[in-house]
Amino acid sequence: MEREGRAGGVASGELVTIGEFARLSRLSAKALRRYDELGLLRPALVDPVNGYRYYDPAQVEGARLVAWLRRIGMPLNRIGRVVALDAGAAAVEVRAYWARVEAETAARRDLAMYLVDHLSAEGGTMSRMPDNAENNGSSGNAGSVGALAIRCAALTDIGVVRTANQDAAFAGPRLLAVADGFGEGGAEASAAAIEALKPSTWGRDGALSAADLLNALEDTADSAARAVRDAVAPCEAPDGSGTTLTAMLWTGSRLGLVHIGDSRAYLLRGGELFRITHDHSLVQSMIDDGSLSPEEASSHPGPALLLKALVGEARPAAVAVACRPDVRLQEVLAGDRYLLCSDGLSAVVDTADLRTAVVAADDPEEAVRRLVGLAREAGGPDNVACAVADVVVE
């Protein structure tokens, strides 16, 4: 058993035993042995005769960092990546991890609030507005939602700068969706995500209760994730390819929202444009914690780092569950106009101009053309995908 105190005869007394290092770092000897086995915190020296571990006091700061990261719940494999980085890069990694934790907590909070409403209403349906009330060519379609009808159109555009279009959009009787692909297999990923939503059972008018619809949305989101993995599997680096996905699914009496990434959904109601999704991005997390203002975010020089997206890599079960898309029910009123778009539109056209274009258009077909035109006028630095739907009295 390792003895506490100074290591006699080892590097002139500069190293300390595991017991002494445990006291300095506030970690147990058991934890230090575990971190050694995992490669997170190697001893400075292991005695070849008795196997005793000796540490350099200069390792204390690294040991404390491991302990702090464990206290915020970071998995050990991710801690291994963080401690190997320089301080600046490690800070970015910790921020990204915590932003994901907060996003997942917010999603669970929204579901908990739905359950409170649902149970309080004794099985009745009650939809909630969120706190931040945040295929090439166009096509028009109609489908009923109770006594209402949905008229919609979708359009994608390659933009001015890009040489390939990795965005996808769809507007149909039961589905409105946009997806923004990235990486080598981005085009295949975005197309697969939307295609996975199409063969669903949304046509069963009134057959799905609110609870059943939420379960169906979860199943659909899982299907989209599998479809993306299959689509990008042939890529040289499938874990670097994936897509965002924002979609609305109509049952005939209810609307379900599926969202992951930084594509967005907006609602025009009473002349006001509300964003009804929350970006799963590092920049959004900085806005949430107050370190970046919305005005500063529009000119933030950093890359558009996504905290959640549908990706090609196969993930452990716990991680896969944590990275699932947000799902919820959305209130539907006659006169509503919904806009779904990729960041090729929302990142270059400000909200006031979006609202003006959405309000001015006579119908969804005109709206998507106006919106794509705005993105191109703003320089068109990215692919653009948008879909617009009107809720009208049938």
Side-chain angles (χ1 to χ4, degrees):
M1 180 176 182
E2 289 88 350
R3 296 165 298 185
E4 294 193 11
R6 288 283 172 181
V10 182
S12 303
E14 292 180 359
L15 301 185
V16 298
T17 63
I18 190 172
E20 176 65 10
F21 190 74
R23 185 186 67 78
L24 293 173
S25 64
R26 304 294 180 88
L27 290 170
S28 68
K30 180 179 180 181
L32 290 172
R33 295 187 191 97
R34 176 62 172 161
Y35 296 159
D36 179 12
E37 294 169 357
L38 295 173
L40 293 177
L41 188 65
R42 296 291 194 189
L45 176 69
V46 177
D47 191 303
V49 177
N50 55 31
Y52 289 173
R53 296 172 173 87
Y54 297 97
Y55 293 83
D56 188 326
Q59 293 178 277
V60 167
E61 196 64 29
R64 288 174 177 169
L65 175 60
V66 172
W68 290 332
L69 294 175
R70 286 297 291 153
R71 288 180 67 182
I72 66 172
M74 184 177 287
L76 288 171
N77 62 346
R78 187 159 185 170
I79 290 176
R81 297 197 300 271
V82 172
V83 298
L85 300 172
D86 61 51
V92 171
E93 184 71 12
V94 173
R95 178 184 287 279
Y97 168 75
W98 192 248
R100 175 174 289 180
V101 170
E102 290 184 326
E104 292 158 4
T105 301
R108 290 195 296 270
R109 179 201 63 209
D110 290 345
L111 179 57
M113 291 302 96
Y114 160 75
L115 292 173
V116 169
D117 286 345
H118 178 68
L119 295 172
S120 297
E122 299 180 344
T125 302
M126 183 179 294
S127 301
R128 295 181 59 87
M129 286 290 289
D131 291 341
N132 65 333
E134 268 191 44
N135 47 336
N136 295 321
S138 62
S139 58
N141 300 282
S144 63
V145 180
L148 304 175
I150 305 304
R151 296 201 176 97
C152 50
L155 183 64
T156 69
D157 185 75
I158 195 172
V160 176
V161 176
R162 298 295 178 87
T163 58
N165 192 355
Q166 294 187 310
D167 282 10
F170 180 82
R174 299 296 180 194
L175 173 66
L176 197 72
V178 298
D180 182 356
F182 56 85
E184 176 190 355
E188 293 79 6
S190 60
I194 291 180
E195 192 65 30
L197 303 185
K198 292 181 184 179
S200 53
T201 58
W202 311 118
R204 298 183 299 177
D205 289 356
L208 292 177
S209 67
D212 288 339
L213 177 54
L214 282 173
N215 289 336
L217 290 172
E218 292 276 7
D219 293 342
T220 300
D222 290 343
S223 296
R226 288 192 298 270
V228 169
R229 289 197 297 271
D230 292 344
V232 304
C235 296
E236 185 174 337
D239 58 341
S241 296
T243 185
T244 69
L245 177 66
T246 300
M248 290 182 167
L249 303 121
W250 308 89
T251 68
S253 61
R254 295 182 176 90
L255 180 155
L257 178 67
V258 177
H259 168 69
I260 187 168
D262 63 355
S263 293
R264 293 179 175 180
Y266 294 87
L267 166 63
L268 179 70
R269 176 178 290 172
E272 295 296 325
L273 189 67
F274 303 96
R275 176 154 63 101
I276 59 173
T277 53
H278 198 74
D279 293 350
H280 300 134
S281 67
L282 181 59
V283 167
Q284 181 64 58
S285 75
M286 295 171 71
I287 296 173
D288 294 341
D289 67 20
S291 60
L292 198 67
S293 71
E295 294 73 23
E296 293 169 332
S298 62
S299 58
H300 189 265
L305 177 61
L306 293 175
L307 301 179
K308 291 171 63 173
L310 300 178
V311 295
E313 64 179 327
R315 291 166 162 170
V319 177
V321 170
C323 294
R324 276 180 173 171
D326 298 340
V327 298
R328 68 162 183 269
L329 306 185
Q330 178 67 33
E331 179 186 19
V332 180
L333 297 177
D336 287 348
R337 173 169 283 183
Y338 290 93
L339 162 64
L340 277 57
C341 66
S342 64
D343 68 342
L345 177 64
S346 60
V348 299
V349 179
D350 65 36
T351 303
D353 290 338
L354 283 180
R355 176 190 171 280
T356 298
V358 173
V359 169
D362 290 333
D363 53 43
E365 290 85 350
E366 181 184 347
V368 294
R369 289 194 298 269
R370 282 176 178 263
L371 293 166
V372 168
L374 284 177
R376 294 185 70 90
E377 290 171 9
D382 199 357
N383 305 149
V384 183
C386 57
V388 173
D390 285 349
V391 181
V392 298
V393 177
E394 190 170 34

